[in-house]
Amino acid sequence: MGVSTVTAARILKGQMDGNPGEETILKMETFPYVALSKTYNVDQQMPDSAGTATAYLCGVKANYGTVGLSAAALRYQCNTARGNEVTSVLHRARMAGKSVGIVSTARVQHASPAAAYAHSANRGWYSDSDLPPDAVRDGCRDIAYQLVHNTDINVILGGGRLYMLPNDTADPEYSSTRGDRFDKTNLITEWLKNKKVRLQGSYVWNKAQFDGVDEEETDYLMGLFEPKDTRYELQRNPETDPSLTEMVEKAIKILRKNPKGYYLFVEDEGRIDHGHHGGRALFALTEAVHFDKAIERAMDLTSVLDTLSVVTADHSHVFTFGGYSVRGNPVLGFSRVTADDDKSFTTALYGNGPGYQILNGTRLTTTPFCSLIEFGEYRQQAAVPLDSETHGSEDVAIYAQGPMAHLFHGVQEQSYIAHVMAYAACLEPYDDCILKDLAAPLQTTLLLLPLSLASLLLF
């Protein structure tokens, strides 16, 4: 979610409320501290979500496609992983006695959330069925297995049932779908062991069950609402699947009971990212608007006095927003002028992707706004033909508020984000945090109060 996506989402949010749009302010834009994050991976100029998530969650720059490993580990090479694991701030928070949670609109084993708990030489090793023979031989574990066994996570909400169930087990919602695991292990059952009775833990897979969870009586909650990624907000059935905002609220209410505080990682990157990859700007921008609503609800439930909140992105996309347009022009509408080929064009375009529309050397006429764009199926035109639009290489924004938020300033390496979060919460390697000894009453109060949320609300 680069700056162009933030700008377009801001205008779309306003227009959804019946306003021109340009004057709208996103909740994240009210945060007082802003910086830029350099997103490159160690081995690639244009990054992916695995290497970038490792940077902002673990504090170490990593290689493209690797999760929770330093750059000494090489993608697809299991035997390079051992000894090169890096530890996330989420894991460190749990070791310090805080409650921790993950909320995602993608599968919870996806690259971004995976960096919070897993160590994998390939982001695509979701299930044991994805592991190549050499990885099995060298003792590497799939990401779903690590979700259950690496870190004691209190709240896990998102998609990804497929990778948790044996391949002879039917999905509870789609009878024709089976699990994906060769080892015949039901990881949901494994996760629930010793939790359901003794620690008030539960597992849910639909909205009714989710709504029935009593936050005050629940210490552990796993909710997996789709076999893979959750549905786009434009396609979500509110009767069967909770929204991102609802998941965030449920997570905070469960986690905040811990007197030592908590750490919550929230991402909508999966669905915003996937919308852009498909060249469908309306999907991506609508997700961004609803993501901002989730941020607003999180801010309602927390206090700036004891809560550091950080909003940032894994990376950008080659999404551009410009052309010539009057004030209040629909965010996915047309430029007021035609191009040199006498055809119209939309102000939202992609540098590459599946929206490439050249036939016999001629650019195809853009589909009228009122038809397919309205339903999200229209692909914005792209300059270069690719099956999937690519990530961008430019910096992305960091928005922050709360204790130590002032440390976000200037242009920073992406790995800097994790260090600020750990420092603000006095977590390893800053567990002897000198801030505890500051004499100023306000500063002392801030540090005595548990840092209840170090939340990465990701795009």
Side-chain angles (χ1 to χ4, degrees):
M1 188 166 178
V3 172
S4 59
T5 297
V6 175
T7 302
R10 174 199 308 147
I11 297 174
L12 178 61
K13 180 179 180 180
Q15 292 178 349
M16 290 170 68
D17 292 333
N19 301 313
E22 293 83 0
E23 74 292 340
T24 301
I25 300 175
L26 297 170
K27 184 63 179 180
M28 70 185 83
E29 294 174 323
T30 67
F31 289 14
Y33 298 98
V34 180
L36 290 177
S37 169
K38 297 161 68 174
T39 64
Y40 68 92
N41 294 149
V42 170
D43 61 341
Q44 285 225 171
Q45 188 177 80
M46 186 218 65
D48 88 315
S49 296
T52 53
T54 301
Y56 63 71
L57 290 178
C58 302
V60 176
K61 284 273 191 177
N63 288 329
Y64 189 97
T66 63
V67 174
L69 299 170
S70 73
L74 304 178
R75 190 176 189 185
Y76 305 119
Q77 297 184 30
C78 167
N79 60 2
T80 67
R82 186 165 295 134
N84 293 315
E85 299 89 350
V86 291
T87 306
S88 73
V89 178
L90 179 143
H91 182 82
R92 286 176 252 167
R94 191 69 184 114
M95 292 300 97
K98 298 181 186 294
S99 294
V100 298
I102 290 172
V103 175
S104 176
T105 54
R107 61 203 79 181
V108 293
Q109 305 87 357
H110 204 257
S112 298
Y117 60 83
H119 313 284
S120 179
N122 180 25
R123 58 176 288 178
W125 290 345
Y126 298 126
S127 167
D128 67 328
S129 64
D130 297 314
L131 294 172
D134 62 304
V136 175
R137 180 195 66 221
D138 292 335
C140 279
R141 292 288 192 173
D142 60 274
I143 294 171
Y145 178 93
Q146 295 185 60
L147 171 64
V148 171
H149 292 94
N150 281 11
T151 303
D152 181 32
I153 303 174
N154 299 84
V155 176
I156 302 168
L157 298 174
R161 287 194 303 257
L162 182 74
Y163 314 107
M164 309 292 282
L165 299 174
N167 58 9
D168 59 358
T169 300
D171 184 85
E173 188 173 10
Y174 309 103
S175 58
S176 61
T177 300
R178 293 287 187 274
D180 195 53
R181 302 197 64 80
F182 287 167
D183 61 9
K184 306 301 182 184
T185 301
N186 186 320
L187 290 176
I188 296 169
T189 302
E190 288 291 305
W191 184 83
L192 280 171
K193 283 181 179 178
N194 301 320
K195 292 185 174 74
K196 194 160 189 177
V197 176
R198 190 164 55 84
L199 299 173
Q200 291 80 49
S202 59
Y203 164 72
V204 299
W205 60 267
N206 60 49
K207 179 70 157 50
Q209 295 172 346
F210 175 83
D211 289 342
V213 172
D214 184 342
E215 300 93 349
E216 294 304 314
E217 298 297 325
T218 303
D219 296 322
Y220 287 84
L221 174 64
M222 177 184 286
L224 303 177
F225 304 104
E226 288 291 334
K228 293 185 178 180
D229 303 319
T230 67
R231 295 181 182 274
Y232 287 107
E233 184 60 34
L234 284 171
Q235 299 173 330
R236 181 179 66 88
N237 182 343
E239 300 299 319
T240 60
D241 297 313
S243 67
L244 179 64
T245 299
E246 290 169 328
M247 290 192 288
V248 167
E249 179 171 348
K250 184 76 72 175
I252 290 175
K253 288 182 176 179
I254 291 173
L255 298 174
R256 70 183 180 185
K257 301 194 303 293
N258 188 336
K260 292 185 177 181
Y262 62 96
Y263 177 104
L264 176 62
F265 171 88
V266 181
E267 74 138 355
D268 198 13
E269 172 273 333
R271 298 279 76 188
I272 297 172
D273 178 74
H274 297 162
H276 277 322
H277 279 310
R280 293 188 168 101
L282 184 57
F283 275 130
L285 299 181
T286 302
E287 290 295 316
V289 170
H290 284 273
F291 176 50
D292 196 63
K293 291 181 180 179
I295 295 171
E296 184 169 11
R297 184 59 183 143
M299 298 308 98
D300 291 341
L301 293 167
T302 57
S303 170
V304 70
L305 296 177
D306 64 6
T307 301
L308 171 64
S309 299
V310 184
V311 181
T312 189
D314 290 25
H315 51 72
S316 183
H317 277 263
V318 292
F319 171 74
T320 183
F321 182 55
Y324 296 97
S325 54
V326 298
R327 173 76 183 274
N329 193 57
V331 73
L332 298 179
F334 294 111
S335 171
R336 69 169 180 261
V337 302
T338 57
D340 290 348
D341 59 5
D342 294 325
K343 295 181 179 180
S344 61
F345 64 96
T346 57
T347 53
L349 299 165
Y350 288 99
N352 58 50
Y356 180 83
Q357 298 179 32
I358 303 293
L359 183 63
N360 298 324
T362 302
R363 187 168 64 92
L364 300 182
T365 302
T366 304
T367 303
F369 173 80
C370 61
S371 59
L372 292 179
I373 292 181
E374 186 175 2
F375 299 98
E377 293 300 321
Y378 175 72
R379 297 184 190 272
Q380 309 303 128
Q381 289 192 341
V384 177
L386 288 176
D387 289 340
S388 177
E389 176 264 2
T390 71
H391 299 164
S393 301
E394 70 269 22
D395 300 346
V396 298
I398 308 169
Y399 307 90
Q401 71 172 15
M404 298 297 116
H406 66 278
L407 295 176
F408 289 107
H409 58 83
V411 181
Q412 303 289 348
E413 293 289 353
Q414 196 166 39
S415 50
Y416 176 75
I417 297 170
H419 288 274
V420 173
M421 290 191 297
Y423 183 70
C426 294
L427 300 174
E428 186 184 345
Y430 311 107
D431 46 352
D432 58 348
C433 190
I434 61 171
L435 296 175
K436 294 178 181 178
D437 299 323
L438 290 176
L442 177 60
Q443 292 169 319
T444 302
T445 300
L446 285 174
L447 269 299
L448 287 175
L449 288 170
L451 186 65
S452 59
L453 173 69
S455 64
L456 273 181
L457 301 166
L458 284 187
F459 302 104

